[in-house]
């Protein structure tokens, strides 16, 4: 079945460092891909999305490009801030799975001043 | 936009009891899904409702059931609670065409079963 694999955390960075969180997926159809962020004690917030191959999603300085050839959707940010500390989830949804979201296990990011 | 609101925020129940969790969807959203998130894990899909009909279910037993109402609010009911049901329960809603818009999540209900 469809699945999402993320790099394991926790990831610890200094403020202004470059961030990459790897995400790869397996899907039989043509999924849309999402990154969600979860701050401590809160629900999930949609960070960015891409609906077809080669699309780039971006928001708040974060970017991810839908790479069909490598089945990847890596999250990047050029300069992280302490306020970016959170858990990041990669997810996919496809119509042949009824539109439900399938999540990776999450990657915890901790940014130190 | 009012967002997705869930109630209660926290709940403690005893094993064997029943619980009802509530969700008010964002205005205009007619698709609602429920997810279970165990500590340190990604959310797992429980079921989805579209126009008051269940149209998808994950690998959860029948003691997990739900309802969606004409105003698109919804409930998650869990009978015969087990200790492993302790988790954060998330409600998510979407416009039609979820693959284009994604889901909007509520802040969740933290359920503890003792």
């Amino acid at each position: 079945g469809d699945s999402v694999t993320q790099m394991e955390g926790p990831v610890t960075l200094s403020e202004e460092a470059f961030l990459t969180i790897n995400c790869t997926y397996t899907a039989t159809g043509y999924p849309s891909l999402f990154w969600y962020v979860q701050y401590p004690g809160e629900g999930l917030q949609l960070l960015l999305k891409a609906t077809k191959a080669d699309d780039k999603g971006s928001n708040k300085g974060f970017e991810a490009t839908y790479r069909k050839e490598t089945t990847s959707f890596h999250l990047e940010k050029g300069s992280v801030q302490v306020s970016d500390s959170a858990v990041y989830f990669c997810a996919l949804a496809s119509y042949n799975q009824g539109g439900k979201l399938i999540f990776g296990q999450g990657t915890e990011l901790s940014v130190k001043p | 936009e009012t967002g997705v609101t869930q109630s209660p925020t926290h709940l403690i129940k005893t094993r064997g009891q029943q619980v009802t969790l509530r969700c008010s969807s964002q205005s205009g959203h007619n698709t609602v899904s429920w997810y279970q998130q165990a500590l340190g894990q990604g959310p797992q899909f429980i079921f989805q409702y579209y126009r008051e009909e269940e149209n998808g279910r994950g690998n959860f037993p029948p003691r997990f059931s739900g309802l969606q109402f004409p105003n698109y609010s919804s409930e998650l009911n869990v009978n015969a609670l087990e200790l492993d049901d302790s988790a954060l329960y998330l409600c998510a809603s979407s416009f039609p065409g979820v693959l284009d818009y994604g889901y909007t999540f509520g802040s969740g209900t933290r359920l503890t079963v003792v």
Side-chain angles (χ1 to χ4, degrees):
Chain A
D2 293 3
S3 65
V4 174
T5 302
Q6 292 180 233
M7 66 186 283
E8 289 196 16
V11 173
T12 302
L13 296 173
S14 297
E15 207 165 21
E16 299 183 3
F18 184 86
L19 168 71
T20 299
I21 299 178
N22 291 337
C23 170
T24 56
Y25 68 90
T26 301
T28 53
Y30 299 94
S32 291
L33 302 174
F34 306 88
W35 277 101
Y36 281 86
V37 58
Q38 187 173 35
Y39 297 100
E42 298 186 11
L44 278 72
Q45 297 178 25
L46 179 62
L47 183 59
L48 54 83
K49 61 179 171 65
T51 59
K52 61 183 186 297
D54 300 325
D55 269 1
K56 177 185 282 189
S58 61
N59 186 27
K60 300 181 182 179
F62 291 90
E63 293 183 339
T65 301
Y66 189 164
R67 301 284 188 201
K68 189 162 183 262
E69 63 276 12
T70 55
T71 62
S72 64
F73 192 55
H74 304 322
L75 182 68
E76 296 182 337
K77 187 176 185 183
S79 176
V80 293
Q81 305 300 313
V82 172
S83 57
D84 294 326
S85 298
V87 181
Y88 292 81
F89 290 95
C90 185
L92 68 80
S94 61
Y95 282 122
N96 68 349
Q97 292 284 339
K100 69 180 182 186
L101 283 165
I102 297 171
F103 287 90
Q105 72 272 32
T107 302
E108 182 181 359
L109 170 65
S110 178
V111 181
K112 306 297 184 186
Chain B
E1 284 189 0
T2 57
V4 177
T5 56
Q6 292 186 242
S7 62
T9 54
H10 295 85
L11 202 53
I12 300 175
K13 288 287 191 179
T14 302
R15 189 172 50 183
Q17 284 188 315
Q18 179 267 344
V19 68
T20 297
L21 311 182
R22 294 181 173 83
C23 172
S24 177
S25 300
Q26 186 165 321
S27 177
H29 287 190
N30 60 9
T31 299
V32 65
S33 302
W34 286 88
Y35 291 80
Q36 180 195 65
Q37 186 180 18
L39 203 59
Q41 303 293 318
Q44 298 294 314
F45 174 74
I46 303 175
F47 46 57
Q48 178 168 285
Y49 280 81
Y50 173 68
R51 293 186 175 179
E52 302 173 58
E53 296 285 332
E54 183 181 300
N55 73 341
R57 189 175 183 92
N59 190 25
F60 281 81
R63 58 189 185 83
F64 286 78
S65 63
L67 285 172
Q68 186 184 29
F69 300 101
N71 64 355
Y72 301 137
S73 64
S74 68
E75 289 181 353
L76 164 65
N77 299 289
V78 187
N79 292 323
L81 283 166
E82 301 177 359
L83 296 179
D84 284 349
D85 295 334
S86 295
L88 180 68
Y89 288 85
L90 295 163
C91 172
S93 68
S94 177
F95 291 111
V98 61
L99 268 62
D100 293 323
Y101 296 102
Y103 287 94
T104 301
F105 280 81
S107 296
T109 294
R110 172 75 61 189
L111 173 65
T112 302
V113 182
V114 297

